Amino acid sequence: MSTSDQVPAGADLFDADLVDAEVVDAELVEAAMEVARRYARGDNHTVAAAGRAADGRIVTALNAYHFTGGPCAELVLIGSAAGQGVYELTTVVAVGDRERGVVPPCGRCRQVLLDYFPELRITVGQGSRLRTVPVRELLPETYVWADHQVD
């Protein structure tokens, strides 16, 4: 199956029944969408993220917008996970409020997620293009902070 065919054509923002479970963690996407539906309010909280822990648990978070550059949902997710004793995430997805669907991580989040979890997979795309890819694929010519530290 090619990456452009991982979710059947005609799928809107997300339909769990149309997702190939081996390619996209539908439960994870639904968890993020539920947090966005229930808790995203106004302009301060507009994106939800969900992460799958190595032990199978799902951790969720919301962004905290602030004009000084408040953290994205993916960065809040890292702290939320640690606060629950989760130090290894295997997959992350972010979704927008108002049923905007999956939102790809910004450049800062891509770099931070790579530094924390080099083997992480990120769900990206919309409709028929929803897929999960290694975080390294989202950062060409990847800089890995840990590789440049002096022991």
Side-chain angles (χ1 to χ4, degrees):
M1 176 182 306
S2 73
T3 57
S4 64
D5 297 328
Q6 291 179 353
V7 177
D12 289 327
L13 294 176
F14 177 71
D15 184 341
D17 294 331
L18 299 177
V19 173
D20 182 341
E22 293 182 22
V23 178
V24 174
D25 186 337
E27 183 183 25
L28 193 65
V29 176
E30 277 296 331
M33 292 181 82
E34 184 62 22
V35 168
R37 281 186 206 110
R38 285 185 178 203
Y39 305 113
R41 297 288 180 264
D43 292 336
N44 292 329
H45 306 290
T46 59
V47 176
R52 174 77 66 184
D55 65 8
R57 288 184 282 169
I58 292 177
V59 179
T60 60
L62 281 171
N63 72 313
Y65 175 80
H66 190 265
F67 73 92
T68 61
C72 297
E74 297 92 336
L75 300 185
V76 176
L77 180 69
I78 293 170
S80 292
Q84 296 175 49
V86 173
Y87 298 100
E88 184 179 343
L89 295 174
T90 61
T91 310
V92 167
V93 63
V95 301
D97 64 347
R98 298 180 300 264
E99 302 298 325
R100 290 184 289 139
V102 173
V103 176
C106 72
R108 176 180 69 169
C109 288
R110 292 173 191 210
Q111 184 66 54
V112 173
L113 289 167
L114 172 70
D115 289 339
Y116 271 81
F117 314 108
E119 302 306 315
L120 184 69
R121 298 180 58 78
I122 307 288
T123 300
V124 296
Q126 294 287 321
S128 65
R129 297 184 54 130
L130 195 64
R131 65 206 183 281
T132 301
V133 299
V135 66
R136 290 177 186 272
E137 283 188 20
L138 299 177
L139 284 168
E141 302 297 325
T142 300
Y143 173 87
V144 179
W145 182 81
D147 291 347
H148 300 279
Q149 300 310 300
V150 178
D151 291 332

